[in-house]
Amino acid sequence: MQIYLDYSATTPTRREAIAVMQEALTQNWGNPSSIHEWGQRAATVVEKARMQVCNLINAPADSLIFTAGGTEADNLAILGVTRQYQTPQHLIISEVEHSAVSKTAELLEQWGWRVTRLPVDRLGRVNPEDLKSALRSNTVLVSLIYGQSEVGTVQPIQELGAIARAAGVLFHVDGVQVVGRLPVNVQELPVDLLSLSSHKIYGPQGAGALYVREGLELVPLLTGGGQESNRRSGTQAVPAIAGFGVAAELASEEMPTETPRLIQLRDRLFDLLADTPELIPTGDRLHRLPHHVSFCLREDAHSRGSHPISGRAIVRQMNLAGIAISSGSACSSGKLNPSPVLLAMGYSPTEATAAVRLTLGRHTTAADIDWTAMVLKQVLARLMPELALARL
């Protein structure tokens, strides 16, 4: 039995997206910048996809820049704003950002910028009052994640964005995990920039986008032929963009039924594992991505065992059982590093090294959830036999 529960990492490309990508590769393969028929057919494909993605977030067509993915979109948002300043200013992020944001902030610090990292509570949420307190006269950008990929927590973006807007500060939101899973309307959200990714919504890898509010200027990361209205040079990846467009259109159509279904399955998995005392649910159960389940092992579970158990060890054992999940810990030079997100949320280094994430998608069934819960309990019993004996 093969069960894929790592949809936050990537989603399988849906057949409708593959079909339009094949058509682009075989029939509409021209350069979209060319004015002849072949080029104009490709340009039509790109602009249709732009409309499809814009419709998903209710954005005007000329507000979207296609990129190579969410990481480039995050970088373009942050560096595109900050590189307009001749002298270093002030930037605000949170302590639970994706590395595409946190690493970019570190780079800016090397260039003399001041960066404030907002703390989060035990559930991974930013307190809006902390944002108010962090704002300075030279704050030029606030960049915050909407739905945290590791623990599933959804931030109060409406309130946070209103605070930034009232202060006259630009607001960038990493919406990669949210767009296509929860409704996003940039006409109602007080956001100036929003990052999206194709392969999180069953489109192909290698395509992403950045929404840019009308009138906002950005310094491009890539210069050259002036594609994407001089904001992102380079010949557009027509097949990937076409697949992104179809995936966005279908996500918009299916969200009203798919999101409640995922929430039901998500809660079912949490409930089935509620009788496993070694597991601590991480993140906010109320303000949460609809497809996201995450845990870490309790500190005392490690102390009673013969050796600490890492999240990666659990992932490997689940993989041997045919179930794909992921871990928040990273391996560097042979040494496991605890998840920075969980450390920021107040978990111990031992707990933050023993975290797992199970994320659900279109192909996940109730039977998959029931089987996964049973297998995970068996894996924990194998990895921690002392605890299994203690429960007998």
Side-chain angles (χ1 to χ4, degrees):
M1 192 170 184
Q2 297 284 305
I3 300 174
Y4 181 79
L5 295 179
D6 200 13
Y7 285 84
S8 273
T10 197
T11 56
T13 308
R14 56 189 308 159
R15 59 180 179 79
E16 298 92 339
I18 293 172
V20 76
M21 292 171 68
Q22 289 177 328
E23 185 178 354
L25 286 165
T26 57
Q27 300 177 40
N28 301 317
W29 41 263
N31 187 321
S33 297
S34 300
I35 62 173
H36 50 60
E37 180 182 345
W38 289 264
Q40 291 310 291
R41 286 205 303 264
T44 299
V45 170
V46 170
E47 294 315 309
K48 179 181 178 181
R50 198 184 310 277
M51 285 296 302
Q52 290 169 316
V53 177
C54 283
N55 287 340
L56 179 58
I57 59 172
N58 194 24
D62 59 357
S63 66
L64 198 80
I65 304 172
F66 281 120
T67 67
T71 291
E72 185 190 340
D74 284 343
N75 274 255
L76 177 56
I78 297 172
L79 296 177
V81 169
T82 57
R83 286 171 63 191
Q84 297 179 51
Y85 292 86
Q86 296 297 318
T87 58
Q89 304 294 317
H90 179 234
L91 167 73
I92 299 174
I93 64 172
S94 80
E95 291 186 338
V96 294
E97 295 303 313
H98 187 277
S99 55
V101 169
S102 62
K103 296 293 184 183
T104 307
E106 290 176 10
L107 177 64
L108 286 169
E109 284 182 309
Q110 294 176 20
W111 296 345
W113 280 68
R114 298 294 184 182
V115 178
T116 296
R117 294 168 176 81
L118 300 176
V120 294
D121 61 19
R122 184 76 172 183
L123 301 179
R125 293 258 289 182
V126 170
N127 185 337
E129 293 301 317
D130 288 336
L131 175 57
K132 286 183 181 179
S133 301
L135 290 167
R136 304 179 186 175
S137 59
N138 66 337
T139 305
V140 299
L141 179 67
V142 176
S143 178
L144 298 175
I145 196 164
Y146 200 159
Q148 217 293 320
S149 60
E150 192 175 325
V151 298
T153 297
V154 174
Q155 300 293 346
I157 291 299
Q158 185 79 42
E159 188 174 358
L160 294 165
I163 293 168
R165 181 154 294 180
V169 175
L170 295 178
F171 188 42
H172 166 244
V173 170
D174 179 346
V176 164
Q177 293 291 336
V178 172
V179 172
R181 293 183 171 120
L182 291 172
V184 173
N185 184 344
V186 296
Q187 303 304 319
E188 297 177 354
L189 280 177
V191 301
D192 299 295
L193 301 135
L194 178 79
S195 300
L196 306 83
S197 176
S198 165
H199 74 104
K200 308 298 187 183
I201 59 170
Y202 307 95
Q205 297 169 354
L210 178 67
Y211 159 76
V212 183
R213 180 180 52 77
E214 183 181 3
L216 198 161
E217 296 294 329
L218 292 178
V219 175
L221 298 182
L222 303 176
T223 57
Q227 289 86 351
E228 296 297 297
S229 301
N230 285 311
R231 298 180 295 186
R232 200 274 187 183
S233 290
T235 302
Q236 292 96 333
V238 179
I241 288 171
F244 187 9
V246 168
E249 183 175 272
L250 293 171
S252 181
E253 293 174 0
E254 297 169 358
M255 208 185 316
T257 55
E258 180 65 1
T259 295
R261 187 187 78 88
L262 289 173
I263 290 173
Q264 187 175 35
L265 292 177
R266 176 200 72 187
D267 292 346
R268 181 187 185 99
L269 184 51
F270 270 122
D271 292 343
L272 287 171
L273 294 170
D275 63 351
T276 309
E278 296 79 36
L279 291 176
I280 310 172
T282 55
D284 193 321
R285 282 292 302 270
L286 179 61
H287 305 102
R288 190 175 193 89
L289 292 168
H291 70 302
H292 195 291
V293 177
S294 57
F295 299 94
C296 67
L297 290 180
R298 294 184 184 278
E299 182 86 34
D300 59 355
H302 294 280
S303 64
R304 285 182 282 162
S306 56
H307 57 277
I309 306 299
S310 70
R312 291 167 68 89
I314 298 173
V315 170
R316 291 192 189 99
Q317 290 297 312
M318 293 292 284
N319 183 59
L320 291 174
I323 302 173
I325 67 172
S326 64
S327 167
S329 58
C331 186
S332 176
S333 301
K335 180 181 178 181
L336 279 175
N337 297 315
S339 157
V341 169
L342 289 175
L343 291 177
M345 292 166 61
Y347 290 90
S348 71
T350 301
E351 291 169 334
T353 306
V356 293
R357 178 188 73 182
L358 304 90
T359 46
L360 326 178
R362 293 179 63 235
H363 305 292
T364 308
T365 66
D368 293 336
I369 295 300
D370 295 347
W371 183 259
T372 296
M374 182 188 70
V375 172
L376 181 54
K377 291 177 182 180
Q378 292 175 346
V379 165
L380 292 174
R382 269 201 310 274
L383 292 173
M384 298 183 291
E386 299 89 346
L387 295 175
L389 290 171
R391 290 205 294 264
L392 293 177

